[in-house]
Amino acid sequence: MAPVSATTTTWHDLLAGDELAHLATEAAREARTAPLPATLQPAVREALTRGGIHELYAHQAEAYGAARGGGNVIVTTGTASGKTLAFNLPVLDALAADRHARALYLYPTKALAQDQARSLGALGVAAVRAAIYDGDTPTERRRQIRGWANLVLTNPDMLHIGILPRHDLWGDFLHNLRFVVVDEAHVYRGVFGSHVANVLRRLRRLARIYGTEPQFLLASATIANAGELAHALTGQNATVVEDDAAPRAERTVALWNPPLLDAELGLRASALGEASRLLAGLAGRGLRTICFAKSRKSAELIHRFAVDRLDAKTAQRLAPYRAGYTPQQRREIERRLVEGDLLGVTSTDALELGIDIGDLDCAISVGFPGTVASLRQQWGRAGRRGHGLAILIASEDALDQYFMREPPALLERRVEAAILDHANPRVLDGHVAAAAFEAPLDGDDAATLGRETLERAPHVPELRQTQHGWVWAGKEAPAARVPLRSTSPDAFLVVDASSGDVLGLAERERAYSTLHEGAVYLHLGRQYLVRELDREARRALVEPFDGDWYTQAKKETETSIEEPLRVERRLGLELSFGRVSVTEQVVAYQKKAVADGSTLATIPLELPATTFDTEAVWFVPRPHQLDGLEAMPLLLSSLHAAEHSLIALLPLWAMCDRWDIGGLSTNLHLDTGAPTVFVYDGHAGGVGIAARGFDQFEGWVADTAELLAGCPCEQGCPSCVQSPKCGNLNEFLDKAGALTLLTRMSNSG
């Protein structure tokens, strides 16, 4: 099927009406190129020439030169800028030059590893023997791969549990390991990134034991702190390659806000309905369009609504794409996209990462995906061949509505920083045990594992000090006890009672508020009803649920300041960052109607309190900043609303989700003796989110004041001060008081 070339006239009549909050054009950009390096191995040069590659983008040549110099490299350029070739070139060159050389590629998903394996096969460099080694690899094939492959593609989980603890089987591979490639590095942030940073340090240590020092080549979406991220992940410095020299077609950007149905409640028309209307309109014009939704259910609904708007012949050229399909089904959808047979695809973020799905005309993002980096990844799918169209359809969420009112805050913003903390003891201790199992720990290991690892060794149960160093004295390999996506080794398993499938893990601190009996639990966009929470077995039994209500837990929270680590005079007040202890107790939950958020029932609960240590940023407003707000309950309501809106905006500065952050506001805190607002990391030990808030406090507060000033409601709504995770069920919130306080703070800067 012949591809359709998109022009602005093709879609301009669709982009009209009050829903269009902003329309802009991003200019085209010419490519900047460099010749193929003279030092390339003949086999690699021939493979590139066969594939029609006769020159490189300037940033690819820069990355190749930096890698040949022997250092680590992180490439952080836009979608479709050729990052894959940037890290493949030095690796392929090394494998073609030395038949003993080995390389390890790490991907966050199996689908990405499959896609890269296909690309390497298509390139056809004879010296390259690539193989995927993951949980799906048959046992009988694993031994063959260890002995035969010189390029192994895997994921952090398999490296953590299946490779490092069995390093004796990988001795030859580790002895010859030249390169470690970490693709989609921006995914490794927060708790997951903190764990992966320790896995990579363990890999470096074992490679050194086997006599080699591999180079790390990382690729990331555009982020604000690429060099810091590379160092945080590997423990080593890296050359940052960020001057994107790839060409870019002209792109139209549209911000689309569903019609407001009730200004005071902040209720808007369905974003899914708007998405289906635009998808059907674009596909009906022959424009190849991808529509990103936040959940599987949303993706399926948009697809169904769009199909209903189209004739049967066009409707057959639309398809949903999500996790849960078989690999064969997904490959078929990818093939139809690449060949142009499909006109429209609705997807979760499964297609946001670097899978090659060919050239599309339009990309629609339904709801801000959480980070500017992710949004740019999604939008980068559109307009690779010619003028493209990128649309963000806003939800009622505070951040979405802020962008609709303040487009420059989105379109001109430097992207966020990816934050992690590998030394968080709740994360680190499991890896200290795993490293001691792999080889005795001694003073020399500080160079690869970090001094924090040796400092923690005496505190880790089942480690024993011997003349050879700290050794593992337990029975089974400890790595299997350390989930990479949780800071809690005693996390609760979430089990689908209807199928027996394990859906995921929930840290104990979160389990009581999200997995109590009667809770509606969300997993990959699907709803489940919690039937039973077994506190002894640390297991929650859930079953699929399609009701028209959701639940919100009511909890009582207390904080106590353990140790201020940084105290500064900022915005006219005393701003602190440090360690706090958070105690939470879930006392009830409410059933709420999806349609309008009304409360259907309040059900009391009897659950134990949980206490965890974490990091927080907190501030005590000065009397002049609270002038006129001192009376109760206005004081408490103003602080509470300010806390909510600050939490809503913090993801703009640190790559995190609102659910990764907690908060507390009080008219009188025992430790400060004054009105105080706390914002804390929701993960035990902290992963650097609150620290980022401390560093960026002025910009963070200014953004939040703008958010409140621009929201059209009078009393406060889900688009400004109401929070879906409020333990007080959004009671005692004063929008005007919060705006007064934050504006006075900003003006004190």
Side-chain angles (χ1 to χ4, degrees):
M1 198 152 295
V4 179
S5 177
T7 63
T8 49
T9 54
T10 316
W11 59 59
H12 85 278
D13 60 310
L14 271 178
L15 302 180
D18 293 341
E19 297 88 349
L20 186 65
H22 185 74
L23 192 68
T25 301
E26 294 181 347
R29 182 178 65 204
E30 294 292 321
R32 288 180 289 109
T33 60
L36 292 177
T39 51
L40 272 182
Q41 289 292 310
V44 178
R45 181 182 294 274
E46 287 163 17
L48 294 178
T49 305
R50 274 199 312 273
I53 299 171
H54 304 285
E55 57 186 0
L56 300 179
Y57 297 137
H59 65 268
Q60 293 171 330
E62 182 187 349
Y64 175 81
R68 266 189 72 83
N72 303 315
V73 181
I74 181 165
V75 183
T76 172
T77 52
T79 310
S81 60
K83 288 191 287 283
T84 300
L85 186 59
F87 62 67
N88 269 340
L89 265 190
V91 173
L92 299 178
D93 213 29
L95 299 184
D98 179 0
R99 64 186 183 87
H100 296 294
R102 300 287 186 268
L104 184 70
Y105 280 37
L106 290 176
Y107 288 92
T109 69
K110 292 176 182 176
L112 277 171
Q114 295 276 358
D115 192 60
Q116 175 68 306
R118 284 196 299 273
S119 299
L120 287 166
L123 204 52
V125 179
V128 175
R129 302 182 301 279
I132 293 173
Y133 193 97
D134 61 23
D136 296 338
T137 307
T139 305
E140 62 275 12
R141 178 141 167 72
R142 294 186 181 193
R143 182 178 173 188
Q144 179 193 5
I145 290 171
R146 289 194 295 266
W148 166 81
N150 60 359
L151 194 160
V152 170
L153 303 103
T154 188
N155 53 61
D157 304 86
M158 177 54 87
L159 180 60
H160 166 55
I161 291 175
I163 296 177
L164 298 181
R166 307 297 307 277
H167 61 82
D168 53 315
L169 302 176
W170 291 83
D172 182 64
F173 190 92
L174 289 167
H175 175 63
N176 292 288
L177 184 59
R178 287 279 303 281
F179 286 103
V180 178
V181 168
V182 182
D183 200 6
E184 307 292 347
H186 58 282
V187 170
Y188 303 121
R189 60 183 188 264
V191 172
F192 186 36
S194 302
H195 276 293
V196 171
N198 283 295
V199 173
L200 294 178
R201 282 164 171 77
R202 283 162 48 206
L203 173 62
R204 281 182 53 215
R205 177 206 186 209
L206 285 176
R208 178 175 284 193
I209 288 172
Y210 281 91
T212 189
E213 297 270 354
Q215 287 175 247
F216 282 82
L217 306 177
L218 303 96
S220 168
T222 310
I223 54 172
N225 64 334
E228 286 175 34
L229 177 63
H231 190 276
L233 280 172
T234 67
Q236 294 180 309
N237 292 328
T239 298
V240 177
V241 176
E242 59 185 348
D243 188 7
D244 192 338
R248 187 176 67 195
E250 189 176 23
R251 180 187 295 155
T252 296
V253 172
L255 303 186
W256 192 267
N257 208 7
L260 193 59
L261 304 178
D262 187 319
E264 194 44 50
L265 293 176
L267 288 177
R268 292 186 175 271
S270 163
L272 306 187
E274 296 296 300
S276 67
R277 181 156 68 89
L278 289 168
L279 174 60
L282 294 166
R285 288 162 170 74
L287 296 168
R288 288 163 59 189
T289 303
I290 186 164
C291 180
F292 290 101
K294 286 189 174 181
S295 71
R296 287 206 245 186
K297 189 173 185 179
S298 297
E300 296 280 7
L301 286 172
I302 293 166
H303 170 72
R304 197 192 319 160
F305 296 157
V307 161
D308 290 344
R309 293 173 176 271
L310 292 165
D311 61 84
K313 189 175 178 183
T314 310
Q316 287 178 346
R317 297 178 66 190
L318 265 58
Y321 179 109
R322 57 168 173 74
Y325 288 163
T326 67
Q328 292 79 11
Q329 289 171 321
R330 292 170 70 146
R331 297 296 92 77
E332 175 66 9
I333 292 171
E334 289 161 19
R335 181 195 63 76
R336 291 181 66 198
L337 261 179
V338 170
E339 294 176 3
D341 178 37
L342 275 182
L343 276 177
V345 168
T346 50
S347 171
T348 58
D349 61 6
L351 278 180
E352 177 188 311
L353 301 173
I355 294 170
D356 183 7
I357 49 169
D359 301 313
L360 307 176
D361 300 308
C362 312
I364 303 171
S365 300
V366 185
F368 180 63
T371 67
V372 177
S374 285
L375 183 67
R376 290 285 174 188
Q377 288 270 102
Q378 293 181 359
W379 282 359
R381 291 293 181 185
R384 298 189 188 181
R385 298 169 301 156
H387 194 128
L389 172 64
I391 304 174
L392 172 63
I393 300 176
S395 72
E396 293 171 0
D397 183 79
L399 209 44
D400 290 41
Q401 291 302 316
Y402 174 60
F403 290 145
M404 293 297 122
R405 295 190 298 272
E406 303 286 342
L410 173 66
L411 302 178
E412 297 171 18
R413 171 174 293 274
R414 186 155 164 70
V415 287
E416 312 89 344
I419 303 296
L420 61 95
D421 178 13
H422 84 280
N424 171 351
R426 295 289 293 269
V427 170
L428 180 58
D429 285 4
H431 294 280
V432 176
F437 173 86
E438 289 151 10
L441 285 172
D442 61 31
D444 292 342
D445 293 321
T448 50
L449 298 177
R451 57 176 175 74
E452 302 94 343
T453 295
L454 297 173
E455 290 168 2
R456 290 301 304 167
H459 306 285
V460 176
E462 297 179 279
L463 289 197
R464 300 289 177 268
Q465 193 166 22
T466 71
Q467 61 183 9
H468 301 294
W470 291 94
V471 299
W472 172 248
K475 288 185 170 63
E476 73 283 351
R481 300 182 189 172
V482 183
L484 295 188
R485 290 159 182 80
S486 167
T487 57
S488 175
D490 57 351
F492 281 66
L493 278 180
V494 185
V495 180
D496 183 347
S498 63
S499 66
D501 291 343
V502 175
L503 300 180
L505 288 164
E507 294 162 1
R508 187 172 59 87
E509 302 84 52
R510 295 175 165 214
Y512 295 154
S513 57
T514 58
L515 289 168
H516 58 77
E517 289 179 16
V520 175
Y521 173 74
L522 278 175
H523 174 71
L524 292 177
R526 290 193 64 188
Q527 288 184 314
Y528 295 85
L529 187 64
V530 180
R531 260 185 19 198
E532 180 190 349
L533 180 67
D534 187 333
R535 304 206 303 263
E536 297 285 316
R538 292 202 303 274
R539 182 184 63 210
L541 292 178
V542 303
E543 58 191 20
F545 172 73
D546 59 2
D548 56 1
W549 49 271
Y550 63 97
T551 55
Q552 186 170 5
K554 178 175 176 62
K555 59 187 177 185
E556 295 172 353
T557 304
E558 293 178 4
T559 60
S560 60
I561 297 169
E562 301 295 328
E563 182 186 11
L565 299 173
R566 296 165 68 188
V567 181
E568 295 176 8
R569 187 84 174 169
R570 307 267 291 277
L571 295 186
L573 50 73
E574 188 176 89
L575 179 70
S576 302
F577 166 77
R579 294 191 303 106
V580 300
S581 174
V582 178
T583 301
E584 294 180 341
Q585 183 165 22
V586 178
V587 295
Y589 72 96
Q590 285 188 342
K591 288 184 179 180
K592 296 198 160 191
V594 169
D596 59 5
S598 60
T599 300
L600 305 176
T602 301
I603 297 101
L605 291 168
E606 290 187 18
L607 288 167
T610 60
T611 299
F612 64 99
D613 294 323
T614 186
E615 294 175 340
V617 56
W618 66 91
F619 60 88
V620 176
R622 303 292 299 154
H624 72 276
Q625 294 169 330
L626 292 173
D627 185 31
L629 305 175
E630 310 95 327
M632 287 289 286
L634 175 61
L635 173 59
L636 185 59
S637 300
S638 301
L639 296 172
H640 191 198
E643 171 218 323
H644 275 195
S645 50
L646 283 165
I647 288 172
L649 268 287
L650 186 51
L652 261 188
W653 295 90
M655 287 177 98
C656 65
D657 188 274
R658 178 188 273 197
W659 298 88
D660 293 323
I661 318 163
L664 177 78
S665 42
T666 173
N667 57 310
L668 180 65
H669 192 269
L670 287 175
D671 293 330
T672 64
T676 311
V677 174
F678 291 82
V679 176
Y680 56 82
D681 277 38
H683 300 281
V687 289
I689 297 168
R692 176 78 175 161
F694 182 90
D695 291 339
Q696 304 294 331
F697 190 62
E698 289 78 6
W700 177 25
V701 169
D703 277 352
T704 308
E706 266 187 39
L707 160 76
L708 293 178
C711 188
C713 74
E714 291 286 330
Q715 303 298 325
C717 71
S719 295
C720 57
V721 299
Q722 291 177 14
S723 166
K725 59 189 284 287
C726 176
N728 292 317
L729 305 174
N730 287 309
E731 295 171 354
F732 299 108
L733 292 168
D734 193 289
K735 175 187 172 182
L739 177 58
T740 298
L741 170 61
L742 292 170
T743 302
R744 287 172 179 170
M745 286 167 59
S746 263
N747 292 341
S748 302

